[in-house]
Amino acid sequence: MHKVTEKNKKVGEGHKFDWKKFDMDKFFSDTDKLARKLRDAKSGIFVGNERDRL
Amino acid sequence: MNETGFDFRNKFALLDTNILKAFLSGDKKSARYNQVLEFLAENNSLMYVLKNVTDFEFTGYQGNKKLFDASKEWLESNFILQPPLPQDYDRAAQLSSMYRCKNPSISPKQISFADCLYAAQLLRVRERAFIVTTDLNDYPSFLFDMPMHFAIEEEGGNTTFVGLKTLNTQKFKELELSFSKSG
């Protein structure tokens, strides 16, 4: 999994996102786990027009 | 390359909050977005999200601490979080007024503060960046081009479009000129 470090936190000339360290399968797995949590908790984030609520 | 001539290789890919939500929404697995991520990977795109905006529109939207923490962890583990620069806020306000000047009937939803802040960010680094969004109309064609898009088939039969939008310098100059002559 890609980890954000102090070194690569700076976006601009020093910005680095390293795809070699990015595990796409793990990303999707983690994403689906969080998605399940959000759905189970009936998170309002996906209900209606979010912007209307902001 | 594409019809606009924008070269995607080694550019910053600014992820709009709505694409993060799209990854997490629906009943189908997030892997349906792999064509988008594969394109970004193939082009060595430097993926990042706009901190503060994402904090508010995504993490801050969670209804309890457990979800708040889980969302924060997911964001911090997977994306570079870049705060806007102070000048981006001023530029965002100006862009909002320019949008309104260009199209007085434009919906207030289409000129939200966050969208203008994304546009301001892109204006500052326009030669080196593009935005990844599912709300194509948030980035109007009088300022942006869309050199690439993806159609994501949803389980229920709907289709979500993911656009890769770039800021067109010539369009910005024209917008700026008409704004300077207005009023």
Side-chain angles (χ1 to χ4, degrees):
Chain A
M1 178 61 70
H2 175 86
K3 274 286 180 187
V4 179
T5 65
E6 284 305 315
K7 192 179 175 185
N8 66 18
K9 255 182 184 173
K10 272 190 184 174
V11 174
E13 296 310 320
H15 171 91
K16 296 285 178 206
F17 184 90
D18 191 349
W19 283 99
K20 288 175 189 160
K21 293 178 186 170
F22 188 85
D23 182 337
M24 217 175 280
D25 291 335
K26 189 169 189 322
F27 170 73
F28 287 129
S29 170
D30 286 354
T31 301
D32 288 340
K33 276 182 200 164
L34 177 59
R36 271 195 298 277
K37 280 184 191 174
L38 296 177
R39 276 199 300 276
D40 290 348
K42 294 184 170 50
S43 167
I45 200 162
F46 307 125
V47 180
N49 186 333
E50 301 88 9
R51 194 170 298 140
D52 285 344
R53 296 157 168 256
L54 293 178
Chain B
M1 276 304 185
N2 47 73
E3 60 188 25
T4 66
F6 186 82
D7 182 357
F8 280 99
R9 285 173 298 177
N10 302 313
K11 298 295 193 301
F12 296 116
L14 173 56
L15 304 190
D16 198 345
T17 311
N18 57 52
I19 187 74
L20 303 178
K21 291 177 184 176
F23 284 146
L24 291 157
S25 66
D27 296 327
K28 217 174 170 187
K29 290 183 177 179
S30 57
R32 67 193 188 279
Y33 284 90
N34 66 355
Q35 58 178 302
V36 179
L37 285 180
E38 280 170 7
F39 179 86
L40 298 179
E42 282 165 13
N43 284 284
N44 194 34
S45 305
L46 306 172
M47 215 165 46
Y48 75 104
V49 300
L50 208 53
K51 190 170 166 53
N52 306 110
V53 174
T54 309
D55 286 347
F56 184 78
E57 286 192 329
F58 179 69
T59 320
Y61 205 76
Q62 307 305 337
N64 63 53
K65 188 172 184 309
K66 203 172 172 183
L67 292 181
F68 179 90
D69 290 342
S71 301
K72 194 173 177 197
E73 167 62 23
W74 179 76
L75 267 182
E76 291 180 349
S77 299
N78 293 299
F79 304 102
I80 304 287
L81 306 176
Q82 161 73 5
L85 294 182
Q87 60 264 39
D88 293 337
Y89 294 99
D90 292 336
R91 184 62 101 173
Q94 188 189 28
L95 280 170
S96 175
S97 187
M98 289 164 88
Y99 282 16
R100 178 69 81 183
C101 178
K102 175 72 179 176
N103 181 3
S105 65
I106 200 165
S107 156
K109 286 180 188 173
Q110 206 178 331
I111 49 171
S112 77
F113 174 60
D115 296 334
C116 290
L117 203 51
Y118 281 113
Q121 173 90 182
L122 219 58
L123 185 59
R124 184 161 52 76
V125 290
R126 57 186 173 275
E127 306 296 335
R128 300 179 289 137
F130 59 94
I131 192 160
V132 184
T133 184
T134 60
D135 285 342
L136 307 182
N137 292 329
D138 286 351
Y139 304 94
S141 57
F142 57 70
L143 183 57
F144 292 89
D145 295 329
M146 188 167 66
M148 180 66 69
H149 72 274
F150 300 88
I152 309 294
E153 301 297 333
E154 304 287 353
E155 215 168 34
N158 293 333
T159 304
T160 297
F161 287 96
V162 177
L164 307 190
K165 292 236 173 178
T166 55
L167 193 139
N168 183 313
T169 303
Q170 187 57 36
K171 288 179 179 177
F172 176 69
K173 284 179 183 168
E174 288 165 13
L175 192 64
E176 202 172 32
L177 185 64
S178 64
F179 184 65
S180 67
K181 289 179 178 172
S182 66

